[in-house]
Amino acid sequence: MFTFIVTCYQQAETAPQALESVRYQIEHYGQGREFQLIVADDGSTDGSQAVIQAWTERYRGLFAKIDLLFQAENRGICQTYVNAQRRVEGERFVKVDGDDLLAPYNIFELTELLSDYDIICTGFLKFHTSDNLVKTYRTYLEVVLQAFIRGKTLRQAVKLGCPVMGTAIYRKSLLTEDVYHFILQFRTIHDRACFQKLLTGDQALKSCYVNRPIILYRVSERSISNFNSPSRRLHSEEIGRLCRVQREKESSPLLRLLLLLQEKSIAFRASSNRLVRLLRFLSPYFTLMLWLCIAHWPAIRKMERELVDRHWRECEAHCRRLTADDKKK
C-alpha cells in the first residue's frame, strides 16, 4: 500500500488543492495500486477540518484506507508529522503540506529507486499565490547542490543545519521511535531534525539526487519561505537549537566550534533587516556551500537551468488547473 500524507494548519483555502494534487497522482499514475490517505490537522480554527472532511467523503473511493488525525489544539508540525508517520501502513509514502502541491510527474517512478537507495533527494519549484512560478535560477542553488553533497560532506552539512532533503523520499522503516523522539524535541523543523538523526546515526545510508520537482512550494505571507513571517523566525530559532543539541554530543573540538558559530549565525538569519540577513553567508554552513559551488559551478549552473526551464511551464499550468478545479467545486 502506498501512503499520501497531507499536513495542515489554518489552510482551509489551500488544503483542497493539495488534496487535488494527490488525486491527480492517483488518477494519472496509480493504476493497480492501493492507497492510504493520512490527513493530519494541527488544531486549525479556520474550518480546515470541515473542508478536509468534505473532500475525503467525496473521493473516498480512491483510497483503501483514510485516516483523519484532527488535533484539538495546535502543537506544532513536528507533533503532527510524527502522529501521521506512525499511522503509515506501507513502506513507501510521500508527504505534502496543506499549502503546497505535488508536482505533475510520476511519483511512483521515484519511489521505485528505493530498491537501490535509502533516500531519494528531489528538486522542487516555488510558486506565488498568483500561481506564477519563481523562475529565477539562483533561487534553486541549494536544491541542485544536493547532487554534490555526499558521503562525509553530507553528514557534516546536515549537522550544520543543511536545509536540503526537505522533499526527499525514504523508506518508512528508517523511522524508529528513537527518530520520532528526537523530532519531538522541536515544533517546526521536523524535516531537518529527521534527516540529521538519520544521517548522523547510520553512516551507511545511500542517497541519490533526481533533478525533477516533486513538490511545488507556495510562497505567501505566512509561509516559512517568507523571511518576515513569524513562522520563519521561529523556524530559524529552532535551527539554532538543533545546532546546540548536536554540539552537546559532538566529540570533535573543531566541529563543536563550527556548530557554535552556526548557532550564533541564526541571529542574522532571523533578522527582519535584509542587509543583516546577508551576514548569514559568513556562517560555516554557507562556507561549505561556497566551496561546493566553486568546485562544481558549471554543472550547478546547468542543473539550475534544467530544473527551471524543463519544468516551469507544465508545473505552472498544473497549479492553475488545480486552482481552477477547486473553484468549480
Side-chain angles (χ1 to χ4, degrees):
M1 185 180 293
F2 188 96
T3 301
F4 290 97
I5 298 174
V6 180
T7 56
C8 179
Y9 177 63
Q10 305 291 59
Q11 291 158 347
E13 293 185 2
T14 59
Q17 295 166 34
L19 290 164
E20 285 294 312
S21 73
V22 170
R23 182 165 74 94
Y24 183 93
Q25 286 290 322
I26 293 173
E27 293 182 345
H28 284 76
Y29 309 115
Q31 292 77 13
R33 292 181 169 87
E34 281 194 335
F35 299 99
Q36 176 188 18
L37 174 66
I38 300 173
V39 187
D41 180 81
D42 190 19
S44 295
T45 57
D46 67 340
S48 294
Q49 296 179 6
V51 169
I52 292 165
Q53 184 80 49
W55 191 95
T56 54
E57 288 177 359
R58 182 170 187 170
Y59 295 109
R60 182 167 295 277
L62 292 175
F63 306 97
K65 183 176 176 55
I66 295 178
D67 293 286
L68 300 182
L69 310 180
F70 293 166
Q71 294 183 171
E73 58 183 32
N74 178 252
R75 300 178 64 185
I77 183 59
C78 289
Q79 182 67 64
T80 304
Y81 171 80
V82 169
N83 289 347
Q85 293 286 9
R86 284 177 167 150
R87 299 291 284 271
V88 173
E89 294 196 357
E91 182 70 353
R92 298 181 182 183
F93 65 93
V94 294
K95 181 188 77 69
V96 60
D97 291 333
D99 58 345
D100 300 326
L101 304 172
L102 293 172
Y105 307 112
N106 191 337
I107 282 175
F108 311 111
E109 282 184 350
L110 292 180
T111 61
E112 292 301 317
L113 295 173
L114 291 173
S115 299
D116 300 312
Y117 297 93
D118 301 293
I119 300 173
I120 314 300
C121 302
T122 65
F124 61 80
L125 293 176
K126 295 182 178 182
F127 72 102
H128 296 287
T129 52
S130 60
D131 302 332
N132 294 317
L133 262 75
V134 178
K135 306 178 188 71
T136 307
Y137 297 132
R138 64 177 179 272
T139 301
Y140 305 105
L141 171 62
E142 288 183 315
V143 179
V144 301
L145 273 176
Q146 294 178 98
F148 307 99
I149 306 176
R150 290 290 174 269
K152 184 178 180 181
T153 302
L154 173 58
R155 293 191 293 275
Q156 304 300 359
V158 166
K159 289 179 180 180
L160 292 171
C162 179
V164 301
M165 292 187 165
T167 61
I169 298 170
Y170 48 95
R171 290 179 282 105
K172 165 70 186 305
S173 56
L174 294 179
L175 297 173
T176 64
E177 284 299 319
D178 194 33
V179 174
Y180 291 148
H181 178 73
F182 186 78
I183 295 171
L184 290 174
Q185 296 179 72
F186 308 95
R187 280 185 60 88
T188 68
I189 54 171
H190 59 291
D191 49 357
R192 291 178 186 247
C194 177
F195 289 114
Q196 178 166 309
K197 185 65 175 177
L198 289 178
L199 290 164
T200 57
D202 187 346
Q203 299 184 5
L205 292 179
K206 293 172 59 179
S207 63
C208 71
Y209 172 68
V210 177
N211 198 35
R212 187 172 83 192
I214 183 176
I215 296 290
L216 304 179
Y217 278 129
R218 189 187 304 265
V219 181
S220 65
E221 291 183 0
R222 295 177 57 242
S223 69
I224 289 176
S225 302
N226 183 347
F227 278 98
N228 295 315
S229 70
S231 58
R232 176 76 182 201
R233 289 192 289 274
L234 175 59
H235 189 74
S236 295
E237 291 169 4
E238 290 218 305
I239 293 172
R241 191 156 68 87
L242 184 61
C243 289
R244 184 162 63 252
V245 169
Q246 184 64 41
R247 177 164 54 89
E248 290 172 352
K249 59 183 180 181
E250 269 300 324
S251 58
S252 166
L254 176 59
L255 192 52
R256 284 203 302 272
L257 175 60
L258 293 176
L259 284 164
L260 176 61
L261 295 174
Q262 185 66 34
E263 179 188 340
K264 299 304 180 184
S265 74
I266 299 303
F268 304 133
R269 177 190 292 269
S271 174
S272 60
N273 186 295
R274 185 186 298 269
L275 293 177
V276 172
R277 285 203 305 269
L278 289 175
L279 295 175
R280 74 188 190 279
F281 292 109
L282 301 176
S283 68
Y285 165 70
F286 279 105
T287 300
L288 175 61
M289 296 300 101
L290 177 62
W291 173 75
L292 288 170
C293 287
I294 293 172
H296 303 285
W297 185 243
I300 287 170
R301 294 279 289 179
K302 180 181 178 182
M303 292 180 70
E304 286 175 333
R305 281 157 175 74
E306 287 179 348
L307 179 64
V308 175
D309 294 344
R310 184 176 297 178
H311 301 108
W312 78 263
R313 290 178 182 83
E314 192 168 2
C315 288
E316 191 168 271
H318 185 60
C319 291
R320 291 175 176 171
R321 181 169 55 248
L322 293 179
T323 300
D325 288 347
D326 178 47
K327 288 180 179 178
K328 291 178 183 177
K329 295 181 174 61

